[in-house]
mmCIF file of all heavy atoms in Angstrom:
data_model
loop_
_atom_site.group_PDB
_atom_site.id
_atom_site.type_symbol
_atom_site.label_atom_id
_atom_site.label_comp_id
_atom_site.label_asym_id
_atom_site.label_seq_id
_atom_site.Cartn_x
_atom_site.Cartn_y
_atom_site.Cartn_z
ATOM 1 N N ILE H 30 0.980 -1.151 0.000
ATOM 2 C CA ILE H 30 -0.008 -0.074 0.043
ATOM 3 C C ILE H 30 0.910 1.177 -0.004
ATOM 4 O O ILE H 30 1.756 1.345 0.869
ATOM 5 C CB ILE H 30 -0.960 0.014 1.297
ATOM 6 C CG1 ILE H 30 -1.720 -1.255 1.275
ATOM 7 C CG2 ILE H 30 -1.863 1.261 1.205
ATOM 8 C CD1 ILE H 30 -2.574 -1.378 2.533
ATOM 9 N N VAL H 31 0.691 2.021 -1.072
ATOM 10 C CA VAL H 31 1.752 3.150 -1.233
ATOM 11 C C VAL H 31 0.918 4.500 -1.366
ATOM 12 O O VAL H 31 -0.031 4.603 -2.178
ATOM 13 C CB VAL H 31 2.625 2.897 -2.434
ATOM 14 C CG1 VAL H 31 3.574 4.133 -2.732
ATOM 15 C CG2 VAL H 31 3.318 1.615 -2.371
ATOM 16 N N TRP H 32 1.354 5.501 -0.612
ATOM 17 C CA TRP H 32 0.933 6.892 -0.842
ATOM 18 C C TRP H 32 1.874 7.834 -0.369
ATOM 19 O O TRP H 32 2.477 7.711 0.732
ATOM 20 C CB TRP H 32 -0.486 7.109 -0.162
ATOM 21 C CG TRP H 32 -0.952 8.552 -0.219
ATOM 22 C CD1 TRP H 32 -1.443 9.063 -1.533
ATOM 23 C CD2 TRP H 32 -0.770 9.573 0.625
ATOM 24 N NE1 TRP H 32 -1.567 10.439 -1.322
ATOM 25 C CE2 TRP H 32 -1.298 10.814 0.000
ATOM 26 C CE3 TRP H 32 -0.366 9.665 1.936
ATOM 27 C CZ2 TRP H 32 -1.261 12.069 0.639
ATOM 28 C CZ3 TRP H 32 -0.418 10.995 2.565
ATOM 29 C CH2 TRP H 32 -0.832 12.084 1.867
ATOM 30 N N PRO H 33 2.287 8.874 -1.189
ATOM 31 C CA PRO H 33 1.737 9.010 -2.600
ATOM 32 C C PRO H 33 2.569 8.089 -3.571
ATOM 33 O O PRO H 33 3.762 7.893 -3.337
ATOM 34 C CB PRO H 33 2.166 10.507 -2.819
ATOM 35 C CG PRO H 33 3.305 10.816 -1.940
ATOM 36 C CD PRO H 33 3.126 9.904 -0.777
ATOM 37 N N ASN H 34 1.875 7.644 -4.579
ATOM 38 C CA ASN H 34 2.402 6.856 -5.566
ATOM 39 C C ASN H 34 2.645 7.608 -6.875
ATOM 40 O O ASN H 34 1.650 7.803 -7.521
ATOM 41 C CB ASN H 34 1.585 5.642 -5.833
ATOM 42 C CG ASN H 34 2.257 4.533 -6.691
ATOM 43 O OD1 ASN H 34 3.236 4.895 -7.464
ATOM 44 N ND2 ASN H 34 1.871 3.210 -6.553
ATOM 45 N N PRO H 35 3.846 8.085 -7.242
ATOM 46 C CA PRO H 35 4.071 8.865 -8.424
ATOM 47 C C PRO H 35 3.440 8.150 -9.685
ATOM 48 O O PRO H 35 3.100 8.887 -10.696
ATOM 49 C CB PRO H 35 5.529 9.057 -8.465
ATOM 50 C CG PRO H 35 6.054 8.771 -7.145
ATOM 51 C CD PRO H 35 5.125 7.774 -6.499
ATOM 52 N N ALA H 36 3.571 6.832 -9.770
ATOM 53 C CA ALA H 36 3.016 6.191 -10.961
ATOM 54 C C ALA H 36 1.609 6.214 -11.188
ATOM 55 O O ALA H 36 1.125 5.862 -12.264
ATOM 56 C CB ALA H 36 3.455 4.686 -10.871
ATOM 57 N N PHE H 37 0.858 6.622 -10.088
ATOM 58 C CA PHE H 37 -0.707 6.762 -10.161
ATOM 59 C C PHE H 37 -1.011 8.174 -9.675
ATOM 60 O O PHE H 37 -1.953 8.386 -8.975
ATOM 61 C CB PHE H 37 -1.266 5.805 -9.294
ATOM 62 C CG PHE H 37 -1.147 4.280 -9.769
ATOM 63 C CD1 PHE H 37 -0.047 3.528 -9.573
ATOM 64 C CD2 PHE H 37 -2.353 3.731 -10.599
ATOM 65 C CE1 PHE H 37 0.047 2.271 -10.088
ATOM 66 C CE2 PHE H 37 -2.232 2.485 -10.993
ATOM 67 C CZ PHE H 37 -1.018 1.721 -10.756
ATOM 68 N N ALA H 38 -0.368 9.204 -10.325
ATOM 69 C CA ALA H 38 -0.706 10.576 -10.119
ATOM 70 C C ALA H 38 -0.752 10.868 -8.614
ATOM 71 O O ALA H 38 -1.516 11.687 -8.099
ATOM 72 C CB ALA H 38 -2.046 10.984 -10.750
ATOM 73 N N ASN H 39 0.215 10.200 -7.873
ATOM 74 C CA ASN H 39 0.380 10.482 -6.487
ATOM 75 C C ASN H 39 -0.840 10.078 -5.544
ATOM 76 O O ASN H 39 -1.093 10.566 -4.500
ATOM 77 C CB ASN H 39 0.753 11.893 -6.110
ATOM 78 C CG ASN H 39 2.216 12.153 -6.447
ATOM 79 O OD1 ASN H 39 3.037 11.323 -6.293
ATOM 80 N ND2 ASN H 39 2.518 13.366 -6.988
ATOM 81 N N SER H 40 -1.703 9.178 -6.143
ATOM 82 C CA SER H 40 -2.827 8.687 -5.406
ATOM 83 C C SER H 40 -2.323 7.465 -4.574
ATOM 84 O O SER H 40 -1.235 7.005 -4.711
ATOM 85 C CB SER H 40 -3.961 8.104 -6.397
ATOM 86 O OG SER H 40 -4.480 9.194 -7.230
ATOM 87 N N ILE H 41 -3.242 7.032 -3.690
ATOM 88 C CA ILE H 41 -2.957 5.891 -2.937
ATOM 89 C C ILE H 41 -3.336 4.574 -3.721
ATOM 90 O O ILE H 41 -4.303 4.510 -4.264
ATOM 91 C CB ILE H 41 -3.689 5.952 -1.517
ATOM 92 C CG1 ILE H 41 -3.316 4.695 -0.682
ATOM 93 C CG2 ILE H 41 -5.248 5.957 -1.707
ATOM 94 C CD1 ILE H 41 -3.901 4.817 0.743
ATOM 95 N N THR H 42 -2.391 3.545 -3.597
ATOM 96 C CA THR H 42 -2.575 2.389 -4.361
ATOM 97 C C THR H 42 -2.528 1.132 -3.431
ATOM 98 O O THR H 42 -1.732 1.270 -2.418
ATOM 99 C CB THR H 42 -1.589 2.246 -5.470
ATOM 100 O OG1 THR H 42 -0.217 2.328 -4.903
ATOM 101 C CG2 THR H 42 -1.773 3.224 -6.512
ATOM 102 N N VAL H 43 -3.284 0.114 -3.739
ATOM 103 C CA VAL H 43 -3.354 -0.991 -2.892
ATOM 104 C C VAL H 43 -3.102 -2.281 -3.836
ATOM 105 O O VAL H 43 -3.790 -2.302 -4.824
ATOM 106 C CB VAL H 43 -4.757 -1.165 -2.261
ATOM 107 C CG1 VAL H 43 -4.807 -2.426 -1.408
ATOM 108 C CG2 VAL H 43 -4.937 0.105 -1.358
ATOM 109 N N TYR H 44 -2.236 -3.146 -3.507
ATOM 110 C CA TYR H 44 -1.910 -4.280 -4.271
ATOM 111 C C TYR H 44 -2.486 -5.480 -3.394
ATOM 112 O O TYR H 44 -1.913 -5.893 -2.484
ATOM 113 C CB TYR H 44 -0.360 -4.440 -4.549
ATOM 114 C CG TYR H 44 0.123 -3.234 -5.235
ATOM 115 C CD1 TYR H 44 0.676 -2.126 -4.674
ATOM 116 C CD2 TYR H 44 0.022 -3.177 -6.723
ATOM 117 C CE1 TYR H 44 1.190 -1.041 -5.402
ATOM 118 C CE2 TYR H 44 0.470 -2.150 -7.407
ATOM 119 C CZ TYR H 44 1.046 -1.069 -6.855
ATOM 120 O OH TYR H 44 1.544 -0.013 -7.507
ATOM 121 N N GLY H 45 -3.605 -5.904 -3.900
ATOM 122 C CA GLY H 45 -4.441 -6.900 -3.145
ATOM 123 C C GLY H 45 -3.720 -8.157 -2.731
ATOM 124 O O GLY H 45 -3.702 -8.629 -1.517
ATOM 125 N N PRO H 46 -3.020 -8.875 -3.585
ATOM 126 C CA PRO H 46 -2.398 -10.143 -3.129
ATOM 127 C C PRO H 46 -1.446 -9.988 -2.029
ATOM 128 O O PRO H 46 -1.353 -10.852 -1.087
ATOM 129 C CB PRO H 46 -1.685 -10.701 -4.419
ATOM 130 C CG PRO H 46 -2.572 -10.021 -5.529
ATOM 131 C CD PRO H 46 -3.005 -8.691 -4.997
ATOM 132 N N GLU H 47 -0.621 -8.859 -2.053
ATOM 133 C CA GLU H 47 0.373 -8.746 -1.085
ATOM 134 C C GLU H 47 -0.269 -8.279 0.286
ATOM 135 O O GLU H 47 0.212 -8.675 1.300
ATOM 136 C CB GLU H 47 1.355 -7.623 -1.488
ATOM 137 C CG GLU H 47 2.319 -8.093 -2.666
ATOM 138 C CD GLU H 47 1.662 -7.984 -3.936
ATOM 139 O OE1 GLU H 47 0.594 -7.538 -4.054
ATOM 140 O OE2 GLU H 47 2.212 -8.511 -4.892
ATOM 141 N N VAL H 48 -1.370 -7.521 0.211
ATOM 142 C CA VAL H 48 -2.061 -7.164 1.436
ATOM 143 C C VAL H 48 -2.666 -8.396 2.023
ATOM 144 O O VAL H 48 -2.605 -8.536 3.292
ATOM 145 C CB VAL H 48 -3.241 -6.169 1.086
ATOM 146 C CG1 VAL H 48 -4.070 -5.913 2.300
ATOM 147 C CG2 VAL H 48 -2.611 -4.766 0.621
ATOM 148 N N ARG H 49 -3.305 -9.271 1.199
ATOM 149 C CA ARG H 49 -3.829 -10.560 1.812
ATOM 150 C C ARG H 49 -2.739 -11.351 2.436
ATOM 151 O O ARG H 49 -2.885 -12.002 3.510
ATOM 152 C CB ARG H 49 -4.528 -11.268 0.658
ATOM 153 C CG ARG H 49 -5.828 -10.842 0.322
ATOM 154 C CD ARG H 49 -6.638 -11.656 -0.650
ATOM 155 N NE ARG H 49 -6.049 -11.854 -1.896
ATOM 156 C CZ ARG H 49 -6.275 -11.049 -2.925
ATOM 157 N NH1 ARG H 49 -7.046 -10.107 -2.789
ATOM 158 N NH2 ARG H 49 -5.698 -11.245 -4.130
ATOM 159 N N SER H 50 -1.556 -11.367 1.894
ATOM 160 C CA SER H 50 -0.500 -12.129 2.412
ATOM 161 C C SER H 50 0.004 -11.632 3.777
ATOM 162 O O SER H 50 0.207 -12.362 4.572
ATOM 163 C CB SER H 50 0.693 -12.108 1.372
ATOM 164 O OG SER H 50 1.843 -12.677 1.936
ATOM 165 N N LEU H 51 0.109 -10.284 3.890
ATOM 166 C CA LEU H 51 0.617 -9.775 5.106
ATOM 167 C C LEU H 51 -0.526 -9.920 6.246
ATOM 168 O O LEU H 51 -0.167 -10.161 7.331
ATOM 169 C CB LEU H 51 1.123 -8.363 4.997
ATOM 170 C CG LEU H 51 0.076 -7.161 4.822
ATOM 171 C CD1 LEU H 51 -0.356 -6.683 6.253
ATOM 172 C CD2 LEU H 51 0.654 -6.102 4.008
ATOM 173 N N ALA H 52 -1.767 -9.647 5.775
ATOM 174 C CA ALA H 52 -2.863 -9.820 6.822
ATOM 175 C C ALA H 52 -2.908 -11.185 7.293
ATOM 176 O O ALA H 52 -3.071 -11.473 8.502
ATOM 177 C CB ALA H 52 -4.077 -9.346 6.174
ATOM 178 N N GLY H 53 -2.892 -12.161 6.402
ATOM 179 C CA GLY H 53 -2.956 -13.596 6.800
ATOM 180 C C GLY H 53 -1.827 -13.989 7.688
ATOM 181 O O GLY H 53 -2.003 -14.670 8.729
ATOM 182 N N ARG H 54 -0.588 -13.499 7.423
ATOM 183 C CA ARG H 54 0.543 -13.915 8.144
ATOM 184 C C ARG H 54 0.476 -13.212 9.555
ATOM 185 O O ARG H 54 0.724 -13.969 10.580
ATOM 186 C CB ARG H 54 1.853 -13.219 7.508
ATOM 187 C CG ARG H 54 3.069 -13.327 8.306
ATOM 188 C CD ARG H 54 4.225 -12.983 7.500
ATOM 189 N NE ARG H 54 4.348 -11.556 6.963
ATOM 190 C CZ ARG H 54 4.869 -10.517 7.663
ATOM 191 N NH1 ARG H 54 5.356 -10.663 8.851
ATOM 192 N NH2 ARG H 54 4.836 -9.289 7.113
ATOM 193 N N TYR H 55 -0.026 -12.000 9.768
ATOM 194 C CA TYR H 55 -0.057 -11.482 11.048
ATOM 195 C C TYR H 55 -1.259 -12.041 11.797
ATOM 196 O O TYR H 55 -1.117 -12.317 13.029
ATOM 197 C CB TYR H 55 -0.321 -9.981 10.985
ATOM 198 C CG TYR H 55 0.957 -9.189 10.729
ATOM 199 C CD1 TYR H 55 1.029 -8.040 9.926
ATOM 200 C CD2 TYR H 55 2.151 -9.544 11.364
ATOM 201 C CE1 TYR H 55 2.093 -7.417 9.674
ATOM 202 C CE2 TYR H 55 3.310 -8.919 11.202
ATOM 203 C CZ TYR H 55 3.271 -7.804 10.354
ATOM 204 O OH TYR H 55 4.464 -7.084 10.217
ATOM 205 N N LEU H 56 -2.380 -12.345 11.180
ATOM 206 C CA LEU H 56 -3.512 -12.939 11.957
ATOM 207 C C LEU H 56 -3.153 -14.311 12.460
ATOM 208 O O LEU H 56 -3.473 -14.603 13.598
ATOM 209 C CB LEU H 56 -4.735 -13.026 11.062
ATOM 210 C CG LEU H 56 -5.531 -11.795 10.893
ATOM 211 C CD1 LEU H 56 -6.659 -11.894 9.804
ATOM 212 C CD2 LEU H 56 -6.227 -11.382 12.285
ATOM 213 N N ARG H 57 -2.509 -15.082 11.667
ATOM 214 C CA ARG H 57 -2.032 -16.415 12.183
ATOM 215 C C ARG H 57 -1.029 -16.239 13.376
ATOM 216 O O ARG H 57 -1.227 -16.967 14.328
ATOM 217 C CB ARG H 57 -1.309 -17.184 11.089
ATOM 218 C CG ARG H 57 -2.246 -17.608 10.004
ATOM 219 C CD ARG H 57 -1.638 -18.682 9.080
ATOM 220 N NE ARG H 57 -0.479 -18.066 8.245
ATOM 221 C CZ ARG H 57 -0.675 -17.398 7.131
ATOM 222 N NH1 ARG H 57 -1.872 -17.246 6.548
ATOM 223 N NH2 ARG H 57 0.400 -16.795 6.511
ATOM 224 N N GLN H 58 -0.150 -15.319 13.320
ATOM 225 C CA GLN H 58 0.758 -15.070 14.372
ATOM 226 C C GLN H 58 0.076 -14.610 15.569
ATOM 227 O O GLN H 58 0.404 -15.129 16.724
ATOM 228 C CB GLN H 58 1.891 -14.042 13.959
ATOM 229 C CG GLN H 58 2.845 -13.924 14.918
ATOM 230 C CD GLN H 58 4.050 -12.904 14.420
ATOM 231 O OE1 GLN H 58 3.982 -12.505 13.217
ATOM 232 N NE2 GLN H 58 4.914 -12.475 15.264
ATOM 233 N N MET H 59 -0.875 -13.716 15.468
ATOM 234 C CA MET H 59 -1.556 -13.184 16.563
ATOM 235 C C MET H 59 -2.416 -14.331 17.349
ATOM 236 O O MET H 59 -2.425 -14.449 18.580
ATOM 237 C CB MET H 59 -2.559 -12.066 16.135
ATOM 238 C CG MET H 59 -1.796 -10.858 15.613
ATOM 239 S SD MET H 59 -3.160 -9.697 14.939
ATOM 240 C CE MET H 59 -2.013 -8.408 14.195
ATOM 241 N N ILE H 60 -3.116 -15.157 16.550
ATOM 242 C CA ILE H 60 -3.983 -16.174 17.086
ATOM 243 C C ILE H 60 -3.011 -17.221 17.907
ATOM 244 O O ILE H 60 -3.389 -17.580 19.036
ATOM 245 C CB ILE H 60 -4.812 -16.794 16.056
ATOM 246 C CG1 ILE H 60 -5.787 -15.817 15.409
ATOM 247 C CG2 ILE H 60 -5.595 -18.022 16.668
ATOM 248 C CD1 ILE H 60 -6.617 -15.101 16.294
ATOM 249 N N GLU H 61 -1.888 -17.537 17.313
ATOM 250 C CA GLU H 61 -1.010 -18.369 17.989
ATOM 251 C C GLU H 61 -0.493 -17.799 19.301
ATOM 252 O O GLU H 61 -0.343 -18.441 20.273
ATOM 253 C CB GLU H 61 0.201 -18.819 17.075
ATOM 254 C CG GLU H 61 -0.220 -19.675 15.950
ATOM 255 C CD GLU H 61 -0.841 -20.965 16.456
ATOM 256 O OE1 GLU H 61 -0.252 -21.546 17.431
ATOM 257 O OE2 GLU H 61 -1.908 -21.384 15.956
ATOM 258 N N GLU H 62 -0.229 -16.535 19.305
ATOM 259 C CA GLU H 62 0.200 -15.929 20.563
ATOM 260 C C GLU H 62 -0.896 -15.973 21.584
ATOM 261 O O GLU H 62 -0.652 -16.222 22.790
ATOM 262 C CB GLU H 62 0.602 -14.407 20.346
ATOM 263 C CG GLU H 62 1.973 -14.246 19.579
ATOM 264 C CD GLU H 62 2.358 -12.833 19.436
ATOM 265 O OE1 GLU H 62 1.717 -11.985 20.219
ATOM 266 O OE2 GLU H 62 3.331 -12.532 18.706
ATOM 267 N N LEU H 63 -2.215 -15.633 21.189
ATOM 268 C CA LEU H 63 -3.237 -15.527 22.126
ATOM 269 C C LEU H 63 -3.492 -17.042 22.646
ATOM 270 O O LEU H 63 -3.909 -17.125 23.852
ATOM 271 C CB LEU H 63 -4.597 -15.166 21.417
ATOM 272 C CG LEU H 63 -4.532 -13.694 20.975
ATOM 273 C CD1 LEU H 63 -6.061 -13.342 20.434
ATOM 274 C CD2 LEU H 63 -4.181 -12.781 22.130
ATOM 275 N N ARG H 64 -3.173 -17.993 21.870
ATOM 276 C CA ARG H 64 -3.267 -19.448 22.521
ATOM 277 C C ARG H 64 -2.280 -19.752 23.521
ATOM 278 O O ARG H 64 -2.515 -20.667 24.288
ATOM 279 C CB ARG H 64 -3.274 -20.462 21.348
ATOM 280 C CG ARG H 64 -4.427 -20.400 20.367
ATOM 281 C CD ARG H 64 -4.372 -21.683 19.614
ATOM 282 N NE ARG H 64 -5.584 -21.849 18.649
ATOM 283 C CZ ARG H 64 -5.640 -21.638 17.364
ATOM 284 N NH1 ARG H 64 -4.496 -21.171 16.730
ATOM 285 N NH2 ARG H 64 -6.709 -21.664 16.693
ATOM 286 N N THR H 65 -1.113 -18.983 23.520
ATOM 287 C CA THR H 65 -0.099 -19.324 24.430
ATOM 288 C C THR H 65 -0.085 -18.417 25.714
ATOM 289 O O THR H 65 0.518 -18.711 26.717
ATOM 290 C CB THR H 65 1.261 -19.124 23.786
ATOM 291 O OG1 THR H 65 1.472 -17.850 23.311
ATOM 292 C CG2 THR H 65 1.387 -20.097 22.663
ATOM 293 N N LEU H 66 -0.918 -17.298 25.643
ATOM 294 C CA LEU H 66 -0.995 -16.315 26.753
ATOM 295 C C LEU H 66 -2.105 -16.618 27.698
ATOM 296 O O LEU H 66 -3.126 -17.232 27.304
ATOM 297 C CB LEU H 66 -1.218 -14.922 26.175
ATOM 298 C CG LEU H 66 -0.087 -14.333 25.409
ATOM 299 C CD1 LEU H 66 -0.545 -13.042 24.720
ATOM 300 C CD2 LEU H 66 1.138 -14.017 26.280
#
């Protein structure tokens, strides 16, 4: 997720597959932590 992005007239851009990847990675990590706390 980039802002400002010069390639898109300095608008904010979202690259879906990478966002899904980081969100999934963090949610799995968070849930595992909650299971151990």
Side-chain angles (χ1 to χ4, degrees):
I30 305 175
V31 179
W32 179 71
N34 190 334
F37 288 81
N39 286 325
S40 297
I41 182 170
T42 53
V43 179
Y44 299 96
E47 289 80 8
V48 173
R49 284 190 292 273
S50 176
L51 75 90
R54 172 168 65 90
Y55 279 142
L56 278 171
R57 289 189 296 272
Q58 183 175 356
M59 294 173 188
I60 299 307
E61 287 305 312
E62 286 186 14
L63 295 187
R64 287 195 176 105
T65 64
L66 291 171

